[in-house]
Amino acid sequence: MVATSLLLACLASVASTVSSLSIVDRSAAATAFFNPVDGGGSWLNNAGGGGGEPLNVVISGLSSPDVLTDDGVLNFARSIGFSTECFGIHLGDPQSANLGDGHGFVNQTVELRQDFGNADVGTCLESLIGGNHFRVYRQNGPSANSGALFLAVSQEENVNEGHTISPDGYDVGRDALAAAATGKTSFGGVNYSTEVQRLENEMPAGANGVNHGIAVDGAVVLLTVTIE
């Protein structure tokens, strides 16, 4: 009788443990990122006018923590050829994104532009002749707190073309940023090592809902950035 009671107690303990393990707290899990769609978000931001720009690069939440801060992502961006806008002047309204983390639509944290080798004034050249640029969004809401940074990257035309996105500019911009980030980079005395992974079919391919009707191939680039 005692043995039976002990067995039943053990089984109850095991069942309780299994039950608790099946409940995963997405806000506390260490992960590269959470799929925005799973939380009611989207891989497209809200660019206004009914269209959205693809969130086609993710800086993994498993990157070095200092990379994922506002100052940290700016320094990393400068190590791969991007910087703040020309004299801090931004034209146009900020764009928002819903990363499925419980915050709903949140405006971009920052917008950074290709600096052509000069982190101080090089983005002024980008504003004139066009180039690569990206917007940053942080996934840190109560229901999906990965800390990952989602980037909307695109190649744009020169000022005479109104900075419109280049043909195939979303995929082209993504791939150019990935190429610049691959391997070892440095800026301001900080050394980075970046692993690049291409996630095929992570977002819907095609032009449906995409700003300017520019089709995308559906791939997302995942960057895991480690400070050495």
Side-chain angles (χ1 to χ4, degrees):
M1 190 71 173
V2 173
T4 300
S5 298
L6 288 173
L7 177 60
L8 290 173
C10 288
L11 289 174
S13 177
V14 169
S16 176
T17 301
V18 170
S19 176
S20 64
L21 288 175
S22 66
I23 302 173
V24 178
D25 182 0
R26 297 174 73 236
S27 67
T31 186
F33 67 92
F34 295 108
N35 189 326
V37 176
D38 293 342
S42 174
W43 283 104
L44 297 176
N45 72 7
N46 180 7
E53 295 188 346
L55 304 171
N56 48 13
V57 174
V58 177
I59 300 179
S60 169
L62 301 179
S63 300
S64 294
D66 284 350
V67 174
L68 302 174
T69 67
D70 289 355
D71 289 340
V73 70
L74 173 57
N75 199 75
F76 171 67
R78 284 173 167 160
S79 83
I80 63 173
F82 293 82
S83 192
T84 51
E85 296 190 272
C86 180
F87 300 117
I89 299 172
H90 175 70
L91 300 177
D93 295 328
Q95 297 180 5
S96 61
N98 183 348
L99 301 182
D101 61 359
H103 279 328
F105 280 92
V106 176
N107 282 344
Q108 64 202 42
T109 299
V110 69
E111 184 171 352
L112 302 174
R113 297 184 180 278
Q114 189 174 352
D115 65 18
F116 297 97
N118 188 320
D120 295 321
V121 297
T123 57
C124 296
L125 183 59
E126 193 276 345
S127 296
L128 292 174
I129 69 172
N132 212 1
H133 77 307
F134 63 88
R135 307 169 194 273
V136 180
Y137 304 89
R138 179 174 286 110
Q139 189 178 57
N140 64 350
S143 59
N145 186 12
S146 69
L149 303 177
F150 286 64
L151 314 183
V153 188
S154 58
Q155 179 84 14
E156 63 181 2
E157 301 288 352
N158 61 41
V159 66
N160 292 328
E161 298 294 332
H163 291 299
T164 189
I165 305 302
S166 304
D168 200 25
Y170 297 121
D171 292 347
V172 168
R174 174 203 62 203
D175 293 344
L177 185 148
T182 300
K184 298 182 183 299
T185 59
S186 64
F187 188 86
V190 182
N191 299 317
Y192 303 97
S193 178
T194 302
E195 177 185 342
V196 179
Q197 183 180 2
R198 184 182 173 93
L199 308 178
E200 301 288 353
N201 303 312
E202 189 69 27
M203 70 170 69
N208 186 32
V210 180
N211 203 28
H212 304 296
I214 298 173
V216 298
D217 61 16
V220 172
V221 166
L222 179 66
L223 309 179
T224 305
V225 186
T226 303
I227 295 176
E228 296 187 321

